[in-house]
Amino acid sequence: MPYISRTAGPLYIVRWDNPQAGDVAMVEREVADAARSAPGKLYGLSIVPATTRAPDDATRTAMGRSMSKLLVHLETMHVVIEGSGFAHTILRNVMAGIILVGGKRGRVFVSRDVGEALPILGKQADLSRAQLQAILGAHGVLHDRAG
């Protein structure tokens, strides 16, 4: 499966495995649908596990274009790029640079693991760390090192 996604309370969560360009459009539709049915604000959490293969050029392009479309429906987007190696660090830094250049600062946040993202996401969504961990755990998007 290229990704799993869930909507839980004020959260839209996607965990990538092997993203393809067509998956990006599916996620955009899912977010738009979730926002229409949400009783309040919707917050995004995108998790990229350390084992995820790098997307091809078409997928990277689709993902880059997608952020603005997603932010129409999401208050904020938290992108978690897991992994401690050099390549993962560079990827997080590149993503942070894209966010700054794209004028998304304050709406898109990049973290190295889910635990790092939870305090900011919790404050924005008015949920405690324990509530967030329970939601993420119940929906199968965490693994042993997250949270």
Side-chain angles (χ1 to χ4, degrees):
M1 178 114 194
Y3 71 94
I4 59 168
S5 62
R6 306 284 187 268
T7 302
L11 303 179
Y12 173 84
I13 309 153
V14 61
R15 183 178 177 87
W16 297 99
D17 180 35
N18 181 23
Q20 303 296 312
D23 302 328
V24 176
M26 288 173 48
V27 167
E28 289 172 6
R29 286 191 296 277
E30 290 175 8
V31 167
D33 290 345
R36 278 191 289 279
S37 61
K41 296 176 180 178
L42 189 64
Y43 302 86
L45 176 63
S46 177
I47 303 169
V48 181
T51 56
T52 300
R53 293 189 312 234
D56 60 27
D57 289 340
T59 305
R60 274 195 302 275
T61 299
M63 288 178 156
R65 291 181 180 150
S66 179
M67 190 60 69
S68 293
K69 294 176 185 176
L70 294 174
L71 289 174
V72 167
H73 305 289
L74 298 171
E75 290 296 308
T76 59
M77 178 62 144
H78 293 261
V79 180
V80 174
I81 302 171
E82 297 177 333
S84 58
F86 180 74
H88 295 102
T89 301
I90 293 298
L91 183 56
R92 281 189 293 274
N93 287 334
V94 167
M95 183 70 168
I98 290 168
I99 291 164
L100 286 174
V101 170
K104 308 290 187 251
R105 186 174 181 190
R107 300 228 24 231
V108 180
F109 301 85
V110 181
S111 301
R112 71 179 175 269
D113 59 46
V114 173
E116 184 180 76
L118 293 184
I120 297 169
L121 179 57
K123 185 174 180 179
Q124 293 167 342
D126 196 27
L127 295 169
S128 71
R129 182 182 186 93
Q131 288 172 307
L132 286 168
Q133 287 175 314
I135 290 169
L136 297 174
H139 290 281
V141 294
L142 290 181
H143 58 83
D144 292 344
R145 293 181 302 163

